[in-house]
Amino acid sequence: AAAYQDLGVAYSEQKQYKAAIETFHRAMTLLPKSPAPHYNLGLVYLKQGNFAPAILAFKRSIVLAPDFADAYNGLGESYLKLGRFDEALEAYGKADQLNPNLLSTHYGLGQVYAKQGNYEQAITAYQSVIEIQPDYPDAYYNLAQVYIKLGKKEDAAKAMERFETLRKTDPL
């Protein structure tokens, strides 16, 4: 049964999403109490841009494992992509409560706050990303964008300079 789970992940990594979806459904029937196939199915739907089924899959995963921070994070990202910011904040908040070191949660929070115009909170979120992973270029880029919105040109220039340095050493 776990082999189906691993096979589905392999299909997903190769962008063979139809095969991944079929394999995760098979894993669900063999592992009915496992949150992993639902979570991974949610990730596939998220990669495809199918956010409504992604939300359902992440929610099923959470029902089976209420303390699964990554599932809340996926749920938050799905809501973010749909522009449902309050629900995204709620999901990301729960993910952060369960695992404060989950980089993608802080990054997602930064995106939501920036889109809502809550720039100070966005700065805090992006700084948390940088604390977790100091060489994450996108955090510096987004931080620079937020500083620009606040008219903090010097801070924006420093963040953009750091982004450019990281991008040169590790091209996107």
Side-chain angles (χ1 to χ4, degrees):
Y4 281 103
Q5 177 65 24
D6 295 340
L7 183 60
V9 170
Y11 281 136
S12 178
E13 288 170 354
Q14 295 172 11
K15 295 181 174 40
Q16 296 181 26
Y17 299 130
K18 185 176 184 221
I21 291 167
E22 290 170 3
T23 305
F24 289 133
H25 279 291
R26 179 75 177 137
M28 285 176 212
T29 60
L30 297 171
L31 301 166
K33 295 189 186 307
S34 174
H38 298 280
Y39 169 73
N40 285 308
L41 181 64
L43 291 179
V44 170
Y45 286 135
L46 193 58
K47 288 176 185 176
Q48 289 182 313
N50 293 328
F51 305 120
I55 288 168
L56 291 175
F58 290 129
K59 283 183 173 182
R60 281 191 219 109
S61 182
I62 291 165
V63 166
L64 294 168
D67 59 349
F68 193 180
D70 289 311
Y72 282 101
N73 186 68
L75 186 60
E77 187 174 347
S78 299
Y79 284 135
L80 169 62
K81 300 286 188 187
L82 288 171
R84 293 165 60 179
F85 300 134
D86 291 340
E87 291 161 297
L89 286 176
E90 185 178 335
Y92 281 135
K94 185 67 175 172
D96 187 43
Q97 178 185 352
L98 293 167
N99 183 355
N101 295 315
L102 199 57
L103 180 138
S104 53
T105 296
H106 294 283
Y107 189 78
L109 282 167
Q111 290 180 299
V112 173
Y113 289 136
K115 287 181 184 294
Q116 289 182 320
N118 296 327
Y119 300 126
E120 294 298 334
Q121 288 175 290
I123 289 168
T124 301
Y126 290 132
Q127 287 172 337
S128 294
V129 172
I130 292 165
E131 285 175 28
I132 295 167
Q133 188 175 333
D135 60 347
Y136 191 64
D138 291 355
Y140 290 98
Y141 179 83
N142 287 350
L143 189 58
Q145 300 306 308
V146 172
Y147 281 139
I148 289 167
K149 299 256 189 212
L150 290 173
K152 297 183 175 184
K153 294 177 184 170
E154 195 173 305
D155 290 331
K158 286 180 190 173
M160 192 56 79
E161 184 178 320
R162 182 70 180 135
F163 165 73
E164 292 292 343
T165 300
L166 290 171
R167 195 173 67 168
K168 286 176 189 164
T169 59
D170 183 25
L172 299 176

